[in-house]
């Protein structure tokens, strides 16, 4: 803990704020001081009383949502809320505050974009990769597609897959199938337009695989060889999701087997599937022209095709470092993506478009569930995609304007004569605050795991501070989870990111993701029964997905690794002497994402091979990874002449 700063507890009565401390001690600026850290997502405040011994007693801390874009006057509402809350917890009114210290907010703005780079297309009617919740029967059936109305004309001994329109009643359908079987027709399987598969199968003397809910049943070609496969509950299709299985069913040669590989891949993971072999039919796995990304460095410029994947993008980025700007090829997906990011950032920062310079990028390979073009039943396939997080450094810091606006707002609330100052550079204040974590020493590196960017700063023994900022943090993790699970709801994705998972196996117990069980005395709500749930602070919340718990957990952890672990290694390499991670002794994790239940563990595991001691900060031994910058602002204030002037 730094000299002159100690924690007196959040809710303790502090008495007269004008008390300067022991008689005879050098008198410093008496009264209440509030340090304020404006972040991308949250604003933190720490209220402290300056004592007569050149120290301060931290009395109350608070956290509120940042209003507006960081570093703009829109931050005033969030700052005032945080200051008032911190003072209230310290037992004071806003009228008592003497000085408010703001961080020199790092002028960076982050943006995100995601674009698919592959597309699966069906021409004619080759595949129904449909995966209804309740198919009927089990096994593999192969035959010629035959309309229900024509079933009576089928020859005995022939093998048929019956195509049933949505208008047919399930009892009529079952009766027709039974009658055909009695005539010696081999009914191998059926494909239904309505949701009657189980009802039909239950009425058959010899159950066959039946797939239902095919929305475009009229488009299924008649007179073609087809295969229908339904797996047992809890299992997935094995033959039709295997290229060689398809080759065996349809008698394909090597070249034909190669062309049906996209079909097999699209059906992987389904419990049921139908494949119809049509002469003109085809499924293609098309690579979308994602376009080239142009990376402008200080000494060289490189272009990289985004469809070649994130690894090549990041490799090119490393070769042009330091990045001066980045643009996308006009008329392509990446061109539109980068233009949108730049326009958004220009609007948010109040800049002209030509003033926006992309200072860093993080590219991440991902997959996105997309409806198959030309499919017959809303088939979904996981398409390859790339996600880009971009960061812009603005030319100007607007913190002086923010400080003046905060002063006016606080005076309107009764803080007559309050001084509002820009108290120090954010990175320097962060390491000052981090040094109050018990067990730390210089040289010290802090990793601030935020919402839009990941920041690192190193404090050398001589007091020199170096800092770096890279694109990509918690917001990108949320977007990846949302896309890869097909949730379509960022709030749900945020809860998946923040909380452990469980599967409700009965009304009185759930299975946690670590394999242990939790039991309840009262029955659980029916809304969570048999569902994957998040275990949040407000109880169990169902995740609206058909993915099993293991898949949801794997997506969550992979997203965190691809963003936070990658960025931890990138930033530390930039601030480490000679880029050597082994020269770093201590790393303290700060920021909201450092409170995550698994991100600190993932980062620490990645740094362990480099001999780095890594752990979550505990600012002042009481605040955890929060409040480092606010605490550093107060410490810096105390090292001045006692009036707050540098």
């Amino acid at each position: 803990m730094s000299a002159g700063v100690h924690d007196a507890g959040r809710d303790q009565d502090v008495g007269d704020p004008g008390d300067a401390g022991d008689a005879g001690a050098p008198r410093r600026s008496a009264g209440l001081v509030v340090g304020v850290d404006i972040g991308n997502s949250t604003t933190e405040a720490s209220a402290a009383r300056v004592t007569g011994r050149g120290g301060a007693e931290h009395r109350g801390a608070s956290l509120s949502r940042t209003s507006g874009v960081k570093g703009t006057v829109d931050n005033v509402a969030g700052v005032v809320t945080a200051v008032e809350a911190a003072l209230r917890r310290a037992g004071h009114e806003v009228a008592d505050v003497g000085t408010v210290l703001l961080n020199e907010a790092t002028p960076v703005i982050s943006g995100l974009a995601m674009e698919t780079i592959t597309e699966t297309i069906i021409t004619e009617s080759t595949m129904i990769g449909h995966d209804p919740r309740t198919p009927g029967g089990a096994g593999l059936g192969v035959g010629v597609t035959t309309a229900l109305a024509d079933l009576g004309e089928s020859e005995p001994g022939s093998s048929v897959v019956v195509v049933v329109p949505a208008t047919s009643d399930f009892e009529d359908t079952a009766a027709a199938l039974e009658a055909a079987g009695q005539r010696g027709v081999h009914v191998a399987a059926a494909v239904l337009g309505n949701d009657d598969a189980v009802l039909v199968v239950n009425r058959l003397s010899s159950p066959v695989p039946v797939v239902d809910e095919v929305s475009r049943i009229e488009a299924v070609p008649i007179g073609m060889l087809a295969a229908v496969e339904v797996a047992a509950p809890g299992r997935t299709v094995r033959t039709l999701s295997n290229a060689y299985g398809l080759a065996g069913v349809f008698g394909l040669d090597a070249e034909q087997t190669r062309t049906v590989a996209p079909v097999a891949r699209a059906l992987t993971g389904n419990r049921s599937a139908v494949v119809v072999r049509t002469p003109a039919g085809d499924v293609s796995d098309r690579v979308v022209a994602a376009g080239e990304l142009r990376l402008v460095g200080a000494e060289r410029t490189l272009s990289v095709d985004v469809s070649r994947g994130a690894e090549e993008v990041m490799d090119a980025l490393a070769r042009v470092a330091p990045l001066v700007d980045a643009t996308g090829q006009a008329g392509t997906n990446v061109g539109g993506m980068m233009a949108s990011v730049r326009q958004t950032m220009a609007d948010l920062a109040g800049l002209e478009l030509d003033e926006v310079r992309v200072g860093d990028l993080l590219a991440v390979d991902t997959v996105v569930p997309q409806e198959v073009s030309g499919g017959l039943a809303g088939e979904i396939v996981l398409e390859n995609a790339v996600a880009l997080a971009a960061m812009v450094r603005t030319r100007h810091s607007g913190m002086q304007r923010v400080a003046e606006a905060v002063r006016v707002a606080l005076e309107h609330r009764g803080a007559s004569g309050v001084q509002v100052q820009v108290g120090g550079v954010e990175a320097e204040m962060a390491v000052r605050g981090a040094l109050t974590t018990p067990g730390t020493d210089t040289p010290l590196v802090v990793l601030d795991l935020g919402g839009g960017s990941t920041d690192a700063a190193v404090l050398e023994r001589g007091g020199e501070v170096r800092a770096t900022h890279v694109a990509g943090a918690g917001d990108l993790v949320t977007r990846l989870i949302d896309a890869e699970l097909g949730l379509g709801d960022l709030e749900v994705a945020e809860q998946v990111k923040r909380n452990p998972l469980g599967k409700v196996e009965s009304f009185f117990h759930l299975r946690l993701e670590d394999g242990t069980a939790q039991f309840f005395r009262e029955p659980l709500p029916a809304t969570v029964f048999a569902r994957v749930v998040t275990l949040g602070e407000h109880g169990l919340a169902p995740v609206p997905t058909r993915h099993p718990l293991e898949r949801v957990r794997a997506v969550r952890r992979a997203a965190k690794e691809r963003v936070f672990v990658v960025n931890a290694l990138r930033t530390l390499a930039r601030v480490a002497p000679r880029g050597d991670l082994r020269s770093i002794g201590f790393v303290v994790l700060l920021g909201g994402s450092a409170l995550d239940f698994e991100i600190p563990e993932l980062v620490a595991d990645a740094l362990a091979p480099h001999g780095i001691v890594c752990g979550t900060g505990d600012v002042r031994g009481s605040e955890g990874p929060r409040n480092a910058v606010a605490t550093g602002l107060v410490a810096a204030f105390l090292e001045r002449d006692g009036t707050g002037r540098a």
Side-chain angles (χ1 to χ4, degrees), residues 527-567:
T527 53
V528 301
F529 179 69
R531 304 288 298 274
V532 175
V533 296
T534 57
L535 282 65
E537 59 183 13
H538 300 299
L540 307 181
V543 180
T545 179
R546 294 174 64 181
H547 294 293
L549 183 150
E550 293 77 12
R551 167 67 179 163
V552 179
R553 179 177 183 270
V555 166
R556 183 195 71 209
R557 287 179 65 88
K560 290 175 179 178
E561 288 177 334
R562 283 178 287 164
V563 175
F564 282 112
V565 172
V566 169
N567 271 350

Side-chain angles (χ1 to χ4, degrees), residues 146-154 162-165 168 173 176-177 183 222:
T146 303
L148 180 67
D150 301 330
L151 187 56
E153 301 175 6
S154 297
V162 184
V163 180
V164 183
S168 179
T173 300
L177 299 186
R183 288 195 303 106
I222 301 300

Side-chain angles (χ1 to χ4, degrees), residues 335-381:
M337 185 164 48
M338 292 300 294
S340 174
V341 169
R342 295 168 77 92
Q343 185 63 59
T344 300
M345 293 180 174
D347 293 342
L348 291 174
L351 299 173
E352 296 297 328
L353 199 56
D354 59 4
E355 291 184 286
V356 176
R357 297 286 183 272
V358 175
D360 188 61
L361 284 171
L362 175 65
V364 179
D365 287 326
T366 183
V367 291
V368 180
Q370 295 283 330
E371 187 167 323
V372 175
S373 301
L376 298 183
E379 295 92 337
I380 299 295
V381 66

Side-chain angles (χ1 to χ4, degrees), residues 33-97:
V33 179
V34 181
V36 179
D37 173 22
I38 304 172
N40 287 308
S41 301
T42 59
T43 297
E44 301 175 357
S46 178
R49 191 190 71 167
V50 178
T51 68
R53 291 186 178 277
E57 292 179 345
H58 284 268
R59 296 293 186 172
S62 69
L63 175 72
S64 65
R65 184 172 293 278
T66 295
S67 54
V69 177
K70 176 181 177 180
T72 66
V73 291
D74 291 339
N75 299 152
V76 172
V79 171
V80 171
T81 299
V83 169
E84 289 181 330
L87 290 170
R88 190 163 51 249
R89 288 173 178 167
H92 286 277
E93 303 291 336
V94 69
D96 299 333
V97 66

Side-chain angles (χ1 to χ4, degrees), residues 134-197:
T134 54
L140 176 68
V142 181
V144 176
T145 52
T146 303
L148 180 67
D150 301 330
L151 187 56
E153 301 175 6
S154 297
E155 296 291 332
S158 62
S159 185
V160 299
V161 171
V162 184
V163 180
V164 183
T167 53
S168 179
D169 179 77
F170 61 87
E171 290 189 335
D172 294 339
T173 300
L177 299 186
E178 281 288 293
Q182 292 171 2
R183 288 195 303 106
V185 177
H186 176 224
V187 177
V191 182
L192 277 58
N194 53 25
D195 185 18
D196 289 345

Side-chain angles (χ1 to χ4, degrees), residues 71 140 247 273 282 286 314-315 379 420 423 426 430 436 479 500 516 533 614 616 641:
L140 176 68
D282 191 15
R286 187 168 73 94
M314 297 308 292
D315 179 65
E379 295 92 337
V420 181
E426 186 172 5
T436 65
R479 286 284 297 270
T516 60
V533 296
C614 175
T616 302
D641 63 4

